mmCIF file of all heavy atoms in Angstrom:
data_model
loop_
_atom_site.group_PDB
_atom_site.id
_atom_site.type_symbol
_atom_site.label_atom_id
_atom_site.label_comp_id
_atom_site.label_asym_id
_atom_site.label_seq_id
_atom_site.Cartn_x
_atom_site.Cartn_y
_atom_site.Cartn_z
ATOM 1 N N ALA A 542 0.913 -1.214 -0.010
ATOM 2 C CA ALA A 542 0.021 -0.015 0.024
ATOM 3 C C ALA A 542 0.885 1.210 0.014
ATOM 4 O O ALA A 542 0.353 2.341 -0.338
ATOM 5 C CB ALA A 542 -0.955 0.001 1.163
ATOM 6 N N ASP A 543 2.033 1.146 0.396
ATOM 7 C CA ASP A 543 3.022 2.368 0.673
ATOM 8 C C ASP A 543 4.351 2.031 0.218
ATOM 9 O O ASP A 543 5.318 1.943 0.996
ATOM 10 C CB ASP A 543 2.856 2.685 2.135
ATOM 11 C CG ASP A 543 3.756 3.873 2.429
ATOM 12 O OD1 ASP A 543 3.983 4.761 1.541
ATOM 13 O OD2 ASP A 543 4.287 3.942 3.644
ATOM 14 N N PRO A 544 4.553 1.867 -1.106
ATOM 15 C CA PRO A 544 5.900 1.411 -1.602
ATOM 16 C C PRO A 544 7.003 2.596 -1.381
ATOM 17 O O PRO A 544 8.082 2.297 -1.349
ATOM 18 C CB PRO A 544 5.654 1.213 -3.090
ATOM 19 C CG PRO A 544 4.442 1.990 -3.423
ATOM 20 C CD PRO A 544 3.600 1.970 -2.208
ATOM 21 N N GLY A 545 6.530 3.713 -1.172
ATOM 22 C CA GLY A 545 7.429 4.920 -0.993
ATOM 23 C C GLY A 545 7.831 5.009 0.509
ATOM 24 O O GLY A 545 8.714 5.864 0.901
ATOM 25 N N GLU A 546 7.252 4.185 1.352
ATOM 26 C CA GLU A 546 7.602 4.179 2.806
ATOM 27 C C GLU A 546 7.481 5.497 3.423
ATOM 28 O O GLU A 546 8.330 6.016 4.122
ATOM 29 C CB GLU A 546 9.050 3.611 2.988
ATOM 30 C CG GLU A 546 9.278 2.151 2.428
ATOM 31 C CD GLU A 546 10.628 1.699 2.680
ATOM 32 O OE1 GLU A 546 11.318 2.276 3.530
ATOM 33 O OE2 GLU A 546 11.143 0.780 1.987
ATOM 34 N N LEU A 547 6.266 6.015 3.231
ATOM 35 C CA LEU A 547 5.939 7.335 3.742
ATOM 36 C C LEU A 547 5.023 7.368 5.131
ATOM 37 O O LEU A 547 5.009 8.246 5.828
ATOM 38 C CB LEU A 547 5.133 8.163 2.672
ATOM 39 C CG LEU A 547 5.904 8.421 1.448
ATOM 40 C CD1 LEU A 547 5.021 9.132 0.411
ATOM 41 C CD2 LEU A 547 7.243 9.119 1.630
ATOM 42 N N ASP A 548 4.440 6.178 5.356
ATOM 43 C CA ASP A 548 3.513 6.036 6.433
ATOM 44 C C ASP A 548 3.956 5.036 7.369
ATOM 45 O O ASP A 548 3.821 3.855 7.131
ATOM 46 C CB ASP A 548 2.128 5.622 5.860
ATOM 47 C CG ASP A 548 1.046 5.642 7.044
ATOM 48 O OD1 ASP A 548 1.256 6.202 8.078
ATOM 49 O OD2 ASP A 548 0.023 4.915 6.776
ATOM 50 N N ASP A 549 4.552 5.466 8.423
ATOM 51 C CA ASP A 549 5.118 4.547 9.473
ATOM 52 C C ASP A 549 3.941 4.088 10.330
ATOM 53 O O ASP A 549 3.260 4.858 11.125
ATOM 54 C CB ASP A 549 6.144 5.226 10.408
ATOM 55 C CG ASP A 549 6.603 4.364 11.509
ATOM 56 O OD1 ASP A 549 6.303 3.242 11.484
ATOM 57 O OD2 ASP A 549 7.418 4.850 12.368
ATOM 58 N N LEU A 550 3.577 2.799 10.225
ATOM 59 C CA LEU A 550 2.363 2.312 10.842
ATOM 60 C C LEU A 550 2.606 2.225 12.415
ATOM 61 O O LEU A 550 1.580 2.162 13.166
ATOM 62 C CB LEU A 550 2.112 0.864 10.341
ATOM 63 C CG LEU A 550 1.757 0.807 8.862
ATOM 64 C CD1 LEU A 550 1.457 -0.617 8.448
ATOM 65 C CD2 LEU A 550 0.549 1.706 8.584
ATOM 66 N N PHE A 551 3.771 2.211 12.916
ATOM 67 C CA PHE A 551 3.979 2.167 14.363
ATOM 68 C C PHE A 551 3.497 3.484 15.013
ATOM 69 O O PHE A 551 3.197 3.510 16.238
ATOM 70 C CB PHE A 551 5.507 1.971 14.697
ATOM 71 C CG PHE A 551 5.910 0.570 14.626
ATOM 72 C CD1 PHE A 551 7.198 0.348 14.336
ATOM 73 C CD2 PHE A 551 5.080 -0.417 14.705
ATOM 74 C CE1 PHE A 551 7.716 -1.006 14.191
ATOM 75 C CE2 PHE A 551 5.528 -1.795 14.552
ATOM 76 C CZ PHE A 551 6.938 -2.067 14.369
ATOM 77 N N ARG A 552 3.374 4.522 14.198
ATOM 78 C CA ARG A 552 2.948 5.797 14.840
ATOM 79 C C ARG A 552 1.369 5.789 15.176
ATOM 80 O O ARG A 552 0.889 6.752 15.920
ATOM 81 C CB ARG A 552 3.259 6.943 13.857
ATOM 82 C CG ARG A 552 4.726 7.176 13.722
ATOM 83 C CD ARG A 552 5.053 8.358 12.819
ATOM 84 N NE ARG A 552 6.514 8.510 12.578
ATOM 85 C CZ ARG A 552 7.107 9.444 11.887
ATOM 86 N NH1 ARG A 552 6.315 10.320 11.256
ATOM 87 N NH2 ARG A 552 8.336 9.584 11.792
ATOM 88 N N SER A 553 0.737 4.795 14.720
ATOM 89 C CA SER A 553 -0.672 4.641 14.979
ATOM 90 C C SER A 553 -0.929 3.906 16.343
ATOM 91 O O SER A 553 -2.026 3.668 16.716
ATOM 92 C CB SER A 553 -1.407 3.982 13.881
ATOM 93 O OG SER A 553 -0.937 2.562 13.766
ATOM 94 N N GLY A 554 0.183 3.488 16.977
ATOM 95 C CA GLY A 554 0.149 2.748 18.183
ATOM 96 C C GLY A 554 0.152 1.306 18.094
ATOM 97 O O GLY A 554 -0.091 0.586 19.061
ATOM 98 N N GLU A 555 0.460 0.722 16.958
ATOM 99 C CA GLU A 555 0.483 -0.644 16.746
ATOM 100 C C GLU A 555 1.671 -1.314 17.594
ATOM 101 O O GLU A 555 2.711 -0.823 17.710
ATOM 102 C CB GLU A 555 0.777 -0.950 15.194
ATOM 103 C CG GLU A 555 0.828 -2.440 14.923
ATOM 104 C CD GLU A 555 1.144 -2.704 13.512
ATOM 105 O OE1 GLU A 555 0.387 -2.050 12.665
ATOM 106 O OE2 GLU A 555 1.959 -3.537 13.149
ATOM 107 N N ASP A 556 1.433 -2.469 18.098
ATOM 108 C CA ASP A 556 2.364 -3.218 18.900
ATOM 109 C C ASP A 556 3.557 -3.582 18.046
ATOM 110 O O ASP A 556 3.297 -4.137 16.964
ATOM 111 C CB ASP A 556 1.743 -4.432 19.540
ATOM 112 C CG ASP A 556 2.725 -5.139 20.498
ATOM 113 O OD1 ASP A 556 3.755 -4.586 20.894
ATOM 114 O OD2 ASP A 556 2.385 -6.354 20.826
ATOM 115 N N THR A 557 4.831 -3.388 18.496
ATOM 116 C CA THR A 557 5.982 -3.706 17.713
ATOM 117 C C THR A 557 6.479 -5.052 18.034
ATOM 118 O O THR A 557 7.352 -5.542 17.295
ATOM 119 C CB THR A 557 7.123 -2.617 18.071
ATOM 120 O OG1 THR A 557 7.425 -2.737 19.445
ATOM 121 C CG2 THR A 557 6.665 -1.237 17.741
ATOM 122 N N GLN A 558 5.996 -5.860 18.955
ATOM 123 C CA GLN A 558 6.621 -7.058 19.455
ATOM 124 C C GLN A 558 6.642 -8.085 18.419
ATOM 125 O O GLN A 558 7.629 -8.856 18.194
ATOM 126 C CB GLN A 558 5.887 -7.566 20.687
ATOM 127 C CG GLN A 558 6.609 -8.746 21.253
ATOM 128 C CD GLN A 558 8.030 -8.487 21.701
ATOM 129 O OE1 GLN A 558 8.312 -7.417 22.420
ATOM 130 N NE2 GLN A 558 9.091 -9.285 21.393
ATOM 131 N N VAL A 559 5.528 -8.184 17.674
ATOM 132 C CA VAL A 559 5.447 -9.371 16.688
ATOM 133 C C VAL A 559 6.529 -9.163 15.575
ATOM 134 O O VAL A 559 7.151 -10.180 15.042
ATOM 135 C CB VAL A 559 4.089 -9.443 15.967
ATOM 136 C CG1 VAL A 559 3.681 -8.141 15.225
ATOM 137 C CG2 VAL A 559 3.953 -10.625 15.031
ATOM 138 N N HIS A 560 6.870 -7.867 15.232
ATOM 139 C CA HIS A 560 7.857 -7.620 14.189
ATOM 140 C C HIS A 560 9.288 -7.830 14.806
ATOM 141 O O HIS A 560 10.127 -8.179 14.068
ATOM 142 C CB HIS A 560 7.615 -6.287 13.575
ATOM 143 C CG HIS A 560 6.221 -6.110 13.020
ATOM 144 N ND1 HIS A 560 5.848 -6.792 11.971
ATOM 145 C CD2 HIS A 560 5.221 -5.397 13.444
ATOM 146 C CE1 HIS A 560 4.624 -6.494 11.726
ATOM 147 N NE2 HIS A 560 4.189 -5.667 12.635
ATOM 148 N N ARG A 561 9.411 -7.574 16.022
ATOM 149 C CA ARG A 561 10.710 -7.799 16.636
ATOM 150 C C ARG A 561 10.938 -9.237 16.743
ATOM 151 O O ARG A 561 12.142 -9.768 16.491
ATOM 152 C CB ARG A 561 10.723 -7.233 18.139
ATOM 153 C CG ARG A 561 10.696 -5.688 18.163
ATOM 154 C CD ARG A 561 10.529 -5.224 19.561
ATOM 155 N NE ARG A 561 10.445 -3.814 19.656
ATOM 156 C CZ ARG A 561 9.969 -3.141 20.761
ATOM 157 N NH1 ARG A 561 9.727 -3.829 21.883
ATOM 158 N NH2 ARG A 561 9.925 -1.828 20.815
ATOM 159 N N ASP A 562 9.961 -10.107 17.048
ATOM 160 C CA ASP A 562 10.078 -11.525 16.973
ATOM 161 C C ASP A 562 10.454 -12.018 15.550
ATOM 162 O O ASP A 562 11.300 -12.953 15.432
ATOM 163 C CB ASP A 562 8.848 -12.248 17.439
ATOM 164 C CG ASP A 562 8.595 -12.051 18.903
ATOM 165 O OD1 ASP A 562 9.421 -11.515 19.637
ATOM 166 O OD2 ASP A 562 7.355 -12.128 19.317
ATOM 167 N N ALA A 563 9.836 -11.419 14.638
ATOM 168 C CA ALA A 563 10.155 -11.812 13.089
ATOM 169 C C ALA A 563 11.599 -11.433 12.838
ATOM 170 O O ALA A 563 12.283 -12.230 12.122
ATOM 171 C CB ALA A 563 9.188 -11.157 12.168
ATOM 172 N N ARG A 564 12.122 -10.401 13.329
ATOM 173 C CA ARG A 564 13.445 -9.989 12.992
ATOM 174 C C ARG A 564 14.480 -10.949 13.734
ATOM 175 O O ARG A 564 15.362 -11.409 13.200
ATOM 176 C CB ARG A 564 13.747 -8.577 13.502
ATOM 177 C CG ARG A 564 15.216 -8.142 13.246
ATOM 178 C CD ARG A 564 15.329 -6.679 13.412
ATOM 179 N NE ARG A 564 14.913 -6.027 14.616
ATOM 180 C CZ ARG A 564 15.350 -5.017 15.209
ATOM 181 N NH1 ARG A 564 16.285 -4.316 14.516
ATOM 182 N NH2 ARG A 564 14.904 -4.550 16.338
ATOM 183 N N GLY A 565 14.114 -11.349 14.929
ATOM 184 C CA GLY A 565 14.975 -12.370 15.624
ATOM 185 C C GLY A 565 14.939 -13.579 14.948
ATOM 186 O O GLY A 565 15.968 -14.256 14.836
ATOM 187 N N GLU A 566 13.738 -14.092 14.380
ATOM 188 C CA GLU A 566 13.700 -15.384 13.649
ATOM 189 C C GLU A 566 14.573 -15.276 12.413
ATOM 190 O O GLU A 566 15.269 -16.211 12.047
ATOM 191 C CB GLU A 566 12.191 -15.562 13.294
ATOM 192 C CG GLU A 566 12.009 -16.926 12.422
ATOM 193 C CD GLU A 566 10.685 -17.084 11.946
ATOM 194 O OE1 GLU A 566 9.779 -16.257 12.350
ATOM 195 O OE2 GLU A 566 10.398 -17.929 11.104
ATOM 196 N N ALA A 567 14.429 -14.206 11.673
ATOM 197 C CA ALA A 567 15.251 -14.031 10.372
ATOM 198 C C ALA A 567 16.721 -13.904 10.634
ATOM 199 O O ALA A 567 17.483 -14.431 9.875
ATOM 200 C CB ALA A 567 14.762 -12.750 9.651
ATOM 201 N N LEU A 568 17.106 -13.286 11.730
ATOM 202 C CA LEU A 568 18.596 -13.083 12.010
ATOM 203 C C LEU A 568 19.162 -14.301 12.834
ATOM 204 O O LEU A 568 20.353 -14.462 12.839
ATOM 205 C CB LEU A 568 18.795 -11.805 12.856
ATOM 206 C CG LEU A 568 18.501 -10.566 12.180
ATOM 207 C CD1 LEU A 568 18.537 -9.389 13.166
ATOM 208 C CD2 LEU A 568 19.582 -10.355 11.020
#
């Protein structure tokens, strides 16, 4: 929806933990 990376979804108050877990899994 946002290929230009203009809308940071974390600013809407979304929980960041699930994406931190995904980063740990990938790394």
Side-chain angles (χ1 to χ4, degrees):
D543 179 28
E546 301 181 18
L547 303 177
D548 182 19
D549 178 7
L550 298 179
F551 282 155
R552 295 183 180 179
S553 64
E555 178 181 318
D556 185 15
T557 63
Q558 187 59 50
V559 62
H560 304 292
R561 293 174 184 168
D562 292 342
R564 182 167 51 158
E566 178 186 351
L568 293 170

